[in-house]
Amino acid sequence: MSKKVLVLGEINEGSLRNASFETIAAAKTIAENGEIVAILAGKAVRSLAQEMIHYGADRVVTVEHENLSHYTSDGYTQAITDVIEAEQPEGLVFAHTALGKELAPRLASKLETGLISDVTSIEKQGDDVQFTRPIYSGKAFEKKVITDGVIFATIRPNNIAPLEKDETRTGEVTSLDVEIKDLRTKIKELIRNTTDGVDLSEAKVIIAGGRGVKSEEGFEPLHELADVLGGAVGASRGACDAGYCDYALQIGQTGKVVTPDLYIACGISGAIQHLAGMSNSKTIVAINKDPEANIFNVADYGIVGDLFDVIPLLTQELKALKVGV
């Protein structure tokens, strides 16, 4: 039976995040030839609506309000709840990002419906839609089916490929007036920890450093390699605790969970807490002086050596390949 499914478009620095397009692809499986309706919330978001349609949305509902200029859980909950009440969907799909992880449980509670979080794949099983998600820090996977009520799921970035962009697609764009009031959180000043390059949670390539990087300056070769590969730099908690980098780069059980196409672990021992955040990466390369380091147990390729010798050589060779292309 066809369903109407709402997806939430996430906006960062005036652009749509790639995770927004992945939610559309996920929603297609749930909708079963039904309607995919994208929600865009913010201060001035209508200009982004057509891009959601080009990636597969059938229709876009924009919610524009001064109190949605910056994300707050109160403001977004009020806005999205109004859209849900107006649209009466059979399904909801958000990205499993920092925003989605906070907003989705609040909405599920208000709707009195279940939520399947951190989904890595969706497939049809007869008349049902089956969701797969990791459990026990990624050591196992469980499969879930929602048999009653609204289907609500959050999708881990980089696991479900977006649909191919089609700039000939057209769809209706409407706006919904909402009242955002009684906010318990007011943002007086926004200070961004600006870093050049790719967003860590959506990066296809990640170069991650651990305690073996030894210092803040030790991350510089990692940044250079990331620039060559068009990737992002991450870190273990040990490196963050040591003050080598900002906690915004932390990958692991208490940091970001990432699933890039290529993960290069540099000077990372492989503590279970770190593995929980990256073990589902498609290809893992470990660089460590200790041949007994636990990281080699999950790596597809291992290099036993000093990262300060290996990383510059890799960077040099990759630069040479780019020049030769």
Side-chain angles (χ1 to χ4, degrees):
M1 183 178 70
S2 62
K3 302 177 180 66
K4 179 193 290 187
V5 182
L6 299 188
V7 300
L8 178 63
E10 286 197 32
I11 302 166
N12 182 38
E13 296 293 325
S15 300
L16 286 164
R17 300 183 64 173
N18 191 62
S20 305
F21 311 133
E22 295 171 1
T23 60
I24 297 173
K28 284 288 185 183
T29 303
I30 301 170
E32 303 179 68
N33 298 317
E35 186 180 32
I36 308 298
V37 181
I39 307 169
L40 291 178
K43 185 178 179 181
V45 297
R46 192 176 181 87
S47 61
L48 301 173
Q50 286 302 322
E51 193 169 8
M52 293 293 280
I53 292 171
H54 292 163
Y55 275 98
D58 299 303
R59 187 159 55 85
V60 178
V61 177
T62 63
V63 185
E64 297 180 316
H65 195 284
E66 182 69 30
N67 287 338
L68 298 174
S69 299
H70 302 297
Y71 172 77
T72 62
S73 56
D74 287 345
Y76 266 60
T77 298
Q78 291 181 43
I80 305 304
T81 298
D82 284 353
V83 178
I84 292 170
E85 290 177 352
E87 294 290 338
Q88 294 295 305
E90 286 81 34
L92 292 160
V93 181
F94 291 4
H96 195 70
T97 56
L99 185 153
K101 285 187 282 187
E102 180 182 29
L103 184 60
R106 291 174 63 94
L107 289 169
S109 177
K110 288 180 71 67
L111 297 172
E112 297 184 347
T113 191
L115 171 66
I116 302 178
S117 62
D118 201 17
V119 172
T120 55
S121 70
I122 304 175
E123 57 186 352
K124 285 286 294 176
Q125 290 289 333
D127 294 332
D128 296 320
V129 180
Q130 183 173 271
F131 299 87
T132 301
R133 64 185 296 273
I135 55 175
Y136 303 124
S137 300
K139 296 189 186 70
F141 291 84
E142 66 175 357
K143 297 183 182 293
K144 285 183 170 289
V145 172
I146 296 177
T147 58
D148 186 43
V150 176
I151 296 174
F152 199 171
T154 60
I155 309 300
R156 181 184 290 191
N158 284 341
N159 279 265
I160 297 176
L163 302 173
E164 187 175 345
K165 186 176 183 179
D166 181 359
E167 295 187 358
T168 66
R169 291 188 87 252
T170 59
E172 183 184 12
V173 180
T174 59
S175 59
L176 181 68
D177 291 330
V178 297
E179 186 178 5
I180 309 296
K181 60 182 181 179
D182 301 327
L183 295 182
R184 291 177 293 178
T185 303
K186 292 185 179 180
I187 299 176
K188 294 185 176 181
E189 184 182 6
L190 189 64
I191 300 173
R192 298 188 183 278
N193 182 19
T194 56
T195 55
D196 295 329
V198 184
D199 186 282
L200 181 62
S201 62
E202 298 186 65
K204 299 294 185 183
V205 176
I206 294 177
I207 317 299
R211 287 188 182 274
V213 174
K214 298 180 181 178
S215 66
E216 184 177 350
E217 292 73 24
F219 269 90
E220 291 177 4
L222 277 63
H223 281 285
E224 187 175 356
L225 178 57
D227 288 342
V228 172
L229 292 173
V233 172
S236 69
R237 179 169 180 172
C240 296
D241 286 345
Y244 302 160
C245 60
D246 193 275
Y247 279 100
L249 301 184
Q250 184 183 335
I251 295 168
Q253 193 168 27
T254 55
K256 290 182 172 68
V257 177
V258 297
T259 50
D261 293 336
L262 173 63
Y263 189 91
I264 303 179
C266 310
I268 294 175
S269 62
I272 188 62
Q273 292 86 353
H274 183 74
L275 299 185
M278 47 65 70
S279 60
N280 290 319
S281 302
K282 295 176 180 63
T283 301
I284 299 172
V285 177
I287 304 170
N288 202 296
K289 289 194 296 185
D290 180 6
E292 302 300 320
N294 189 50
I295 192 68
F296 288 120
N297 293 324
V298 299
D300 299 288
Y301 303 94
I303 301 173
V304 178
D306 190 326
L307 70 92
F308 295 108
D309 295 329
V310 175
I311 294 296
L313 287 173
L314 278 176
T315 304
Q316 182 180 338
E317 288 296 321
L318 288 167
K319 282 183 176 179
L321 286 172
K322 282 199 170 186
V323 170
V325 172

